């Protein structure tokens, strides 16, 4: 088995790029990679102050303005880098997912992978995707085995029910994989569950169809630290390949749904859980839905990973 973490002397010589470093996942990756010893190109689409307060060696941090729709700005940020950690979040002036945002995310993925293909130093791309690119299909209840990284969401099904987050993530990831295979780019993807981060609300686009996810046993969440560890683990392990489903909690009981509802809603609205999270109004319901999604591939890879969870 390949080593789960790179030696410190190897890390100190590597430069990696994080895009978009102003997003929740990207900014957390910048901080963790710097603490780990990497030199980081923080490619920002917007707010520079996001990385100004990082508690680390500023000599190892370079900041680049990089619009994912501007090919040349991506190329500038990638110069000299051995890897790209790429994640996409809607811009502040258009925060909601819809058909327009799906088109934007696909074009961004195409630009980024094309730029990586033209950058000789890039050894690996870690592409942030979502569980919503895995779970949505017309025959939701007929699959006999657990869903895993081999499954893809049905885009037509997602369009029919306006599951725009699923549309965006599925099309963008498929575009990235097609380009990576065509151009010979070494890429892995992290398909994360609902990110349990600050400012999470019931309006989060991932939660569209939450009741169906809950009943199907595929409603999963992920903590930010675990998600960041997963990204770094698949980069540092030379044996990593393909897609990795990333989550560390399953919402499959009424108690779980109520707890999540209390987190998502203002106190005056927090109990009972809304219809979007649970189809039951009975708070005494003890039913547990069978988990029908597997992250064994990622867990196996991360067994010996040396985490460096930051203490704020």
């Amino acid at each position: 088995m390949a080593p789960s973490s790179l030696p410190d002397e190897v890390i100190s010589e590597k430069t990696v790029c994080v895009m978009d470093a102003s997003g929740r996942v990207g900014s957390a990756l910048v901080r963790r990679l710097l603490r780990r010893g990497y030199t980081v190109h923080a490619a920002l689409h917007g707010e520079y102050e996001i990385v100004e307060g990082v508690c680390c060696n500023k000599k190892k941090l370079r900041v680049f303005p990089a619009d994912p729709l501007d090919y040349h700005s991506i190329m500038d940020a990638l110069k000299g880098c051995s890897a790209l950690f790429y994640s996409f979040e809607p811009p502040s002036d258009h925060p909601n997912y819809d058909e327009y945002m799906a088109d934007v995310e696909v074009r961004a993925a195409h630009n980024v992978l094309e730029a990586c293909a033209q950058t000789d130093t890039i050894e690996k791309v870690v592409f942030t995707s979502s569980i919503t690119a895995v779970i949505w299909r017309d025959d939701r209840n007929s699959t006999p085995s657990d869903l895993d990284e081999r499954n893809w969401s049905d885009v037509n099904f997602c369009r029919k029910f306006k599951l725009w987050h699923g549309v965006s993530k599925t099309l963008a990831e498929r575009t990235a994989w097609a380009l990576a295979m065509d151009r010979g780019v070494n890429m892995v993807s992290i398909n994360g569950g609902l990110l349990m981060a600050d400012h999470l609300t019931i309006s989060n686009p991932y939660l569209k169809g939450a009741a169906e996810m809950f009943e199907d046993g595929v409603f999963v969440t992920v903590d930010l630290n675990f998600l960041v560890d997963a990204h770094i683990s698949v980069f540092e392990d030379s044996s990593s390949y393909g897609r990795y489903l990333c989550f560390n909690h399953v919402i499959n009981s009424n108690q779980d749904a109520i707890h999540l509802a209390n987190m998502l809603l203002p106190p005056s609205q927090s109990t009972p859980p809304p219809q979007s999270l649970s189809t039951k109004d009975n708070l005494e319901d003890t039913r547990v839905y069978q988990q029908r999604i597997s992250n064994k591939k990622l867990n196996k890879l991360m067994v010996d990973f040396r985490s460096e969870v930051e203490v704020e």
Side-chain angles (χ1 to χ4, degrees):
M1 177 182 291
S4 57
S5 298
L6 294 174
D8 291 343
E9 59 271 18
V10 174
I11 288 176
S12 65
E13 296 175 356
K14 284 189 175 291
T15 299
V16 299
C17 180
V18 177
M19 181 185 300
D20 177 10
S22 59
R24 290 165 297 178
V25 177
S27 58
L29 271 167
V30 169
R31 292 192 295 269
R32 190 74 60 78
L33 289 163
L34 286 167
R35 282 190 173 89
R36 210 164 174 85
Y38 290 96
T39 297
V40 178
H41 288 190
L44 296 173
H45 185 201
E47 303 174 22
Y48 279 71
E49 63 269 19
I50 296 293
V51 295
E52 286 179 355
V54 293
C55 308
C56 37
N57 185 356
K58 296 293 180 63
K59 293 180 180 179
K60 290 232 172 202
L61 174 65
R62 292 187 63 192
V63 177
F64 293 80
D67 183 342
L69 300 182
D70 180 353
Y71 178 79
H72 295 292
S73 71
I74 300 169
M75 292 292 291
D76 289 342
L78 290 177
K79 284 181 181 176
C81 291
S82 59
L84 170 67
F85 295 86
Y86 173 74
S87 60
F88 178 93
E89 294 184 28
S92 57
D93 61 346
H94 196 109
N96 299 317
Y97 275 87
D98 52 21
E99 192 155 14
Y100 167 77
M101 191 50 58
D103 180 63
V104 170
E105 187 162 357
V106 168
R107 286 190 287 130
H110 184 279
N111 276 350
V112 167
L113 265 294
E114 186 61 56
C116 288
Q118 300 301 324
T119 304
D120 294 338
T121 55
I122 292 291
E123 299 169 3
K124 185 179 286 187
V125 175
V126 182
F127 187 95
T128 307
S129 186
S130 174
I131 293 289
T132 60
V134 174
I135 60 174
W136 294 119
R137 63 209 183 284
D138 209 5
D139 55 343
R140 294 193 344 258
N141 298 315
S142 65
T143 304
S145 58
D146 287 349
L147 296 176
D148 60 22
E149 63 279 351
R150 294 169 294 184
N151 296 96
W152 285 90
S153 289
D154 183 329
V155 174
N156 291 330
F157 177 86
C158 291
R159 288 187 188 279
K160 179 179 178 181
F161 292 99
K162 301 187 185 306
L163 300 164
W164 295 115
H165 193 270
V167 172
S168 295
K169 297 304 178 183
T170 303
L171 290 177
E173 189 189 347
R174 281 197 176 277
T175 296
W177 276 116
L179 213 63
M181 290 186 285
D182 184 61
R183 301 288 194 274
V185 176
N186 180 19
M187 187 180 110
V188 291
S189 70
I190 297 290
N191 294 70
L194 175 66
L195 179 59
M196 303 302 291
D198 294 338
H199 311 301
L200 181 65
T201 69
I202 196 68
S203 63
N204 187 292
Y206 186 106
L207 290 168
K208 174 76 171 176
E212 289 76 14
M213 286 188 266
F214 177 61
E215 293 173 355
D216 292 351
V218 297
F219 192 177
V220 292
T221 67
V222 62
D223 296 329
L224 184 58
N225 284 324
F226 185 78
L227 183 62
V228 169
D229 278 350
H231 280 74
I232 297 175
S233 178
V234 299
F235 166 60
E236 293 187 352
D237 195 319
S238 60
S239 69
S240 65
Y241 68 96
R243 308 168 86 201
Y244 290 86
L245 305 197
C246 182
F247 57 90
N248 55 358
H249 186 65
V250 183
I251 307 294
N252 63 347
S253 71
N254 201 53
Q255 184 177 4
D256 288 334
I258 293 170
H259 178 68
L260 181 60
N262 289 337
M263 293 175 59
L264 296 173
L265 294 169
S268 61
Q269 302 177 34
S270 58
T271 303
Q275 185 73 12
S276 61
L277 287 180
S278 173
T279 57
K280 289 287 184 180
D281 291 328
N282 181 8
L283 302 184
E284 302 301 321
D285 182 14
T286 59
R287 183 188 321 184
V288 175
Y289 291 96
Q290 180 181 354
Q291 178 181 337
R292 299 185 63 245
I293 188 167
S294 171
N295 60 348
K296 291 179 182 177
K297 183 183 176 185
L298 178 65
N299 288 341
K300 183 178 180 181
L301 187 82
M302 293 183 66
V303 165
D304 298 318
F305 179 72
R306 175 168 53 92
S307 176
E308 294 179 2
V309 173
E310 59 202 64
V311 178
E312 300 292 350

